[in-house]
């Protein structure tokens, strides 16, 4: 992993935006890695990984998810966003399928990025 590239990007953006406090703190940043945590293995799931890692870090818990079920994770995140609340951590995502179907059937507006999918107003 090229963490230096990430730090260089943050440094460049902080410089462009004149974020002096951020620039001064970059030298204190630590890179933490955990080999047991799930790893992204494609170019499509970066947003889902970011959300799942952020959720785990906010709960002060290790991120426990299976990379085989990223579409179910997408559904879970969609439901949480539509309901404006986080679900309790549940490692069996199968119940999200039925919840998603109910939400999509009751919906009334098309999502532009997902043809044929609707959501509740």
């Amino acid at each position: 992993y090229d963490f230096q590239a990430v730090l260089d990007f943050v440094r460049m953006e902080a410089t462009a935006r004149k974020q002096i406090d951020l620039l001064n703190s970059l030298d204190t940043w630590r890179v933490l890695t955990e080999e047991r945590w799930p790893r992204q293995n494609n170019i499509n799931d970066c947003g889902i990984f970011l959300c799942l890692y952020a959720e785990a870090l906010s709960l002060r818990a290790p991120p426990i998810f299976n990379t085989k079920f990223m579409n179910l994770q997408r559904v879970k995140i969609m439901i949480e966003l539509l309901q404006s609340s986080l679900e309790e951590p549940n490692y069996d995502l199968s119940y999200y399928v039925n919840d998603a179907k109910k939400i999509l059937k009751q919906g009334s507006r098309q999502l532009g990025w997902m043809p044929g999918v609707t959501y509740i107003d």
Side-chain angles (χ1 to χ4, degrees):
Y1 301 104
D2 190 0
F3 297 111
Q4 189 58 47
V6 173
L7 289 173
D8 290 345
F9 174 78
V10 171
R11 185 173 281 110
M12 181 182 70
E13 287 295 312
T15 301
R17 300 177 197 292
K18 298 182 171 94
Q19 298 292 317
I20 305 303
D21 290 342
L22 179 57
L23 281 170
N24 291 336
S25 73
L26 285 179
D27 291 334
T28 65
W29 284 24
R30 293 181 303 148
V31 175
L32 303 175
T33 60
E34 175 55 66
E35 294 301 319
R36 295 172 294 175
W37 288 10
R39 299 265 189 246
Q40 182 178 341
N41 55 12
N42 61 36
I43 61 170
N44 302 317
D45 294 336
C46 50
I48 301 301
F49 268 78
L50 178 67
C51 291
L52 294 172
Y53 279 127
E55 179 181 42
L57 291 170
S58 71
L59 296 171
R60 297 177 195 257
I64 300 173
F65 56 91
N66 188 322
T67 58
K68 293 178 186 174
F69 303 111
M70 288 292 105
N71 284 335
L72 285 177
Q73 294 290 354
R74 283 180 174 82
V75 170
K76 173 187 173 281
I77 291 169
M78 176 190 74
I79 290 169
E80 291 173 337
L81 290 170
L82 292 172
Q83 294 176 344
S84 299
S85 67
L86 293 177
E87 296 289 326
E88 290 293 319
N90 184 336
Y91 304 120
D92 175 15
L93 296 175
S94 60
Y95 74 92
Y96 286 112
V97 174
N98 290 330
D99 286 350
K101 286 178 183 175
K102 280 191 268 181
I103 286 173
L104 297 177
K105 280 182 185 176
Q106 296 170 0
S108 62
R109 254 181 25 196
Q110 291 288 326
L111 293 175
W113 54 271
M114 228 175 183
V117 176
T118 57
Y119 68 96
I120 297 173
D121 283 331

Short mmCIF file of all heavy atoms in Angstrom, two decimals, residues 3-16 19-31:
data_model
loop_
_atom_site.label_atom_id
_atom_site.label_comp_id
_atom_site.label_asym_id
_atom_site.label_seq_id
_atom_site.Cartn_x
_atom_site.Cartn_y
_atom_site.Cartn_z
N PHE A 3 0.97 4.46 1.23
CA PHE A 3 0.44 5.46 2.14
C PHE A 3 1.09 6.82 1.91
O PHE A 3 0.48 7.85 2.19
CB PHE A 3 0.64 5.01 3.60
CG PHE A 3 -0.11 3.75 3.91
CD1 PHE A 3 0.57 2.58 4.16
CD2 PHE A 3 -1.48 3.74 3.93
CE1 PHE A 3 -0.12 1.41 4.45
CE2 PHE A 3 -2.18 2.58 4.21
CZ PHE A 3 -1.50 1.41 4.46
N GLN A 4 2.30 6.82 1.42
CA GLN A 4 2.97 8.08 1.13
C GLN A 4 2.20 8.87 0.07
O GLN A 4 2.10 10.09 0.15
CB GLN A 4 4.42 7.86 0.68
CG GLN A 4 5.22 9.14 0.58
CD GLN A 4 5.26 9.92 1.91
OE1 GLN A 4 5.52 9.35 2.96
NE2 GLN A 4 4.97 11.19 1.86
N ALA A 5 1.62 8.18 -0.89
CA ALA A 5 0.83 8.86 -1.92
C ALA A 5 -0.39 9.54 -1.31
O ALA A 5 -0.75 10.66 -1.70
CB ALA A 5 0.41 7.87 -3.00
N VAL A 6 -1.01 8.88 -0.33
CA VAL A 6 -2.16 9.48 0.36
C VAL A 6 -1.72 10.72 1.13
O VAL A 6 -2.36 11.77 1.06
CB VAL A 6 -2.84 8.45 1.29
CG1 VAL A 6 -3.91 9.11 2.13
CG2 VAL A 6 -3.39 7.29 0.49
N LEU A 7 -0.62 10.60 1.86
CA LEU A 7 -0.12 11.75 2.61
C LEU A 7 0.27 12.90 1.68
O LEU A 7 0.01 14.07 1.98
CB LEU A 7 1.06 11.35 3.49
CG LEU A 7 0.71 10.48 4.69
CD1 LEU A 7 1.99 10.01 5.39
CD2 LEU A 7 -0.18 11.21 5.66
N ASP A 8 0.88 12.58 0.55
CA ASP A 8 1.24 13.61 -0.43
C ASP A 8 -0.01 14.31 -0.96
O ASP A 8 -0.02 15.53 -1.12
CB ASP A 8 2.03 13.01 -1.58
CG ASP A 8 3.43 12.57 -1.18
OD1 ASP A 8 3.90 12.97 -0.09
OD2 ASP A 8 4.05 11.80 -1.96
N PHE A 9 -1.06 13.54 -1.21
CA PHE A 9 -2.31 14.14 -1.68
C PHE A 9 -2.90 15.06 -0.63
O PHE A 9 -3.32 16.18 -0.93
CB PHE A 9 -3.31 13.04 -2.06
CG PHE A 9 -4.66 13.58 -2.42
CD1 PHE A 9 -4.88 14.14 -3.67
CD2 PHE A 9 -5.70 13.55 -1.51
CE1 PHE A 9 -6.12 14.65 -4.00
CE2 PHE A 9 -6.94 14.05 -1.82
CZ PHE A 9 -7.16 14.61 -3.08
N VAL A 10 -2.95 14.60 0.62
CA VAL A 10 -3.49 15.43 1.71
C VAL A 10 -2.65 16.70 1.85
O VAL A 10 -3.19 17.80 2.00
CB VAL A 10 -3.55 14.64 3.03
CG1 VAL A 10 -3.90 15.56 4.20
CG2 VAL A 10 -4.54 13.50 2.92
N ARG A 11 -1.35 16.56 1.77
CA ARG A 11 -0.45 17.72 1.88
C ARG A 11 -0.72 18.72 0.74
O ARG A 11 -0.83 19.92 0.96
CB ARG A 11 1.01 17.27 1.86
CG ARG A 11 1.99 18.40 2.09
CD ARG A 11 3.43 17.91 2.24
NE ARG A 11 3.60 17.40 3.60
CZ ARG A 11 3.76 16.12 3.94
NH1 ARG A 11 3.82 15.19 3.02
NH2 ARG A 11 3.90 15.76 5.19
N MET A 12 -0.89 18.21 -0.48
CA MET A 12 -1.17 19.07 -1.63
C MET A 12 -2.50 19.80 -1.46
O MET A 12 -2.60 21.00 -1.69
CB MET A 12 -1.20 18.22 -2.91
CG MET A 12 -1.45 19.00 -4.17
SD MET A 12 -1.53 17.93 -5.62
CE MET A 12 -3.09 17.08 -5.32
N GLU A 13 -3.54 19.08 -1.04
CA GLU A 13 -4.85 19.70 -0.84
C GLU A 13 -4.82 20.71 0.30
O GLU A 13 -5.42 21.78 0.19
CB GLU A 13 -5.91 18.62 -0.58
CG GLU A 13 -6.28 17.81 -1.79
CD GLU A 13 -6.95 18.65 -2.86
OE1 GLU A 13 -7.88 19.41 -2.55
OE2 GLU A 13 -6.54 18.54 -4.03
N ALA A 14 -4.15 20.38 1.38
CA ALA A 14 -4.06 21.30 2.52
C ALA A 14 -3.31 22.57 2.12
O ALA A 14 -3.67 23.68 2.54
CB ALA A 14 -3.38 20.62 3.71
N THR A 15 -2.28 22.42 1.30
CA THR A 15 -1.52 23.58 0.83
C THR A 15 -2.41 24.45 -0.05
O THR A 15 -2.46 25.67 0.11
CB THR A 15 -0.26 23.13 0.05
OG1 THR A 15 0.55 22.35 0.91
CG2 THR A 15 0.53 24.32 -0.45
N ALA A 16 -3.12 23.82 -0.99
CA ALA A 16 -4.00 24.57 -1.90
C ALA A 16 -5.10 25.30 -1.15
O ALA A 16 -5.50 26.40 -1.53
CB ALA A 16 -4.60 23.62 -2.93
N GLN A 19 -4.65 25.27 4.64
CA GLN A 19 -5.00 24.67 5.92
C GLN A 19 -3.72 24.45 6.73
O GLN A 19 -3.20 23.35 6.81
CB GLN A 19 -5.74 23.35 5.70
CG GLN A 19 -7.05 23.49 4.95
CD GLN A 19 -8.08 24.21 5.78
OE1 GLN A 19 -8.24 23.95 6.98
NE2 GLN A 19 -8.79 25.12 5.15
N ILE A 20 -3.24 25.51 7.34
CA ILE A 20 -1.95 25.49 8.04
C ILE A 20 -1.94 24.49 9.19
O ILE A 20 -0.97 23.75 9.37
CB ILE A 20 -1.59 26.92 8.54
CG1 ILE A 20 -1.60 27.92 7.37
CG2 ILE A 20 -0.25 26.90 9.27
CD1 ILE A 20 -0.69 27.55 6.23
N ASP A 21 -3.03 24.45 9.98
CA ASP A 21 -3.08 23.51 11.11
C ASP A 21 -2.96 22.07 10.63
O ASP A 21 -2.24 21.27 11.24
CB ASP A 21 -4.38 23.67 11.89
CG ASP A 21 -4.44 24.98 12.65
OD1 ASP A 21 -3.37 25.59 12.86
OD2 ASP A 21 -5.54 25.40 13.03
N LEU A 22 -3.64 21.75 9.53
CA LEU A 22 -3.54 20.40 8.98
C LEU A 22 -2.13 20.12 8.48
O LEU A 22 -1.57 19.06 8.76
CB LEU A 22 -4.55 20.22 7.84
CG LEU A 22 -4.56 18.86 7.14
CD1 LEU A 22 -4.80 17.72 8.14
CD2 LEU A 22 -5.59 18.84 6.04
N LEU A 23 -1.55 21.06 7.78
CA LEU A 23 -0.18 20.89 7.29
C LEU A 23 0.79 20.64 8.43
O LEU A 23 1.66 19.78 8.35
CB LEU A 23 0.26 22.12 6.49
CG LEU A 23 -0.25 22.21 5.07
CD1 LEU A 23 0.04 23.59 4.48
CD2 LEU A 23 0.35 21.13 4.20
N ASN A 24 0.64 21.40 9.51
CA ASN A 24 1.54 21.26 10.66
C ASN A 24 1.36 19.92 11.38
O ASN A 24 2.28 19.45 12.04
CB ASN A 24 1.36 22.42 11.63
CG ASN A 24 1.85 23.73 11.05
OD1 ASN A 24 2.70 23.74 10.16
ND2 ASN A 24 1.31 24.83 11.53
N SER A 25 0.17 19.33 11.26
CA SER A 25 -0.09 18.08 11.99
C SER A 25 0.27 16.83 11.19
O SER A 25 0.32 15.74 11.76
CB SER A 25 -1.57 18.02 12.40
OG SER A 25 -2.38 17.77 11.26
N LEU A 26 0.53 16.96 9.90
CA LEU A 26 0.77 15.77 9.08
C LEU A 26 1.95 14.93 9.56
O LEU A 26 1.93 13.71 9.43
CB LEU A 26 0.98 16.16 7.61
CG LEU A 26 -0.29 16.56 6.85
CD1 LEU A 26 0.06 16.94 5.43
CD2 LEU A 26 -1.31 15.46 6.86
N ASP A 27 2.95 15.58 10.10
CA ASP A 27 4.12 14.83 10.57
C ASP A 27 3.80 13.96 11.78
O ASP A 27 4.57 13.05 12.11
CB ASP A 27 5.27 15.78 10.90
CG ASP A 27 5.84 16.43 9.64
OD1 ASP A 27 5.72 15.82 8.55
OD2 ASP A 27 6.38 17.54 9.75
N THR A 28 2.69 14.22 12.44
CA THR A 28 2.31 13.42 13.61
C THR A 28 1.36 12.29 13.26
O THR A 28 1.03 11.48 14.12
CB THR A 28 1.66 14.31 14.69
OG1 THR A 28 0.41 14.82 14.18
CG2 THR A 28 2.57 15.45 15.09
N TRP A 29 0.91 12.23 12.02
CA TRP A 29 -0.01 11.18 11.61
C TRP A 29 0.68 9.82 11.67
O TRP A 29 1.85 9.69 11.33
CB TRP A 29 -0.50 11.42 10.19
CG TRP A 29 -1.53 12.51 10.07
CD1 TRP A 29 -1.73 13.54 10.93
CD2 TRP A 29 -2.47 12.66 9.03
NE1 TRP A 29 -2.74 14.34 10.47
CE2 TRP A 29 -3.21 13.82 9.30
CE3 TRP A 29 -2.76 11.94 7.88
CZ2 TRP A 29 -4.23 14.27 8.47
CZ3 TRP A 29 -3.77 12.39 7.05
CH2 TRP A 29 -4.50 13.53 7.34
N ARG A 30 -0.06 8.82 12.12
CA ARG A 30 0.45 7.46 12.16
C ARG A 30 -0.37 6.60 11.21
O ARG A 30 -1.58 6.77 11.12
CB ARG A 30 0.34 6.88 13.57
CG ARG A 30 1.23 7.57 14.58
CD ARG A 30 1.09 6.94 15.94
NE ARG A 30 -0.31 6.97 16.37
CZ ARG A 30 -0.88 6.05 17.14
NH1 ARG A 30 -0.16 5.04 17.59
NH2 ARG A 30 -2.13 6.14 17.49
N VAL A 31 0.28 5.71 10.53
CA VAL A 31 -0.41 4.77 9.66
C VAL A 31 -0.60 3.48 10.44
O VAL A 31 0.36 2.89 10.93
CB VAL A 31 0.40 4.50 8.38
CG1 VAL A 31 -0.26 3.42 7.54
CG2 VAL A 31 0.57 5.79 7.59
#
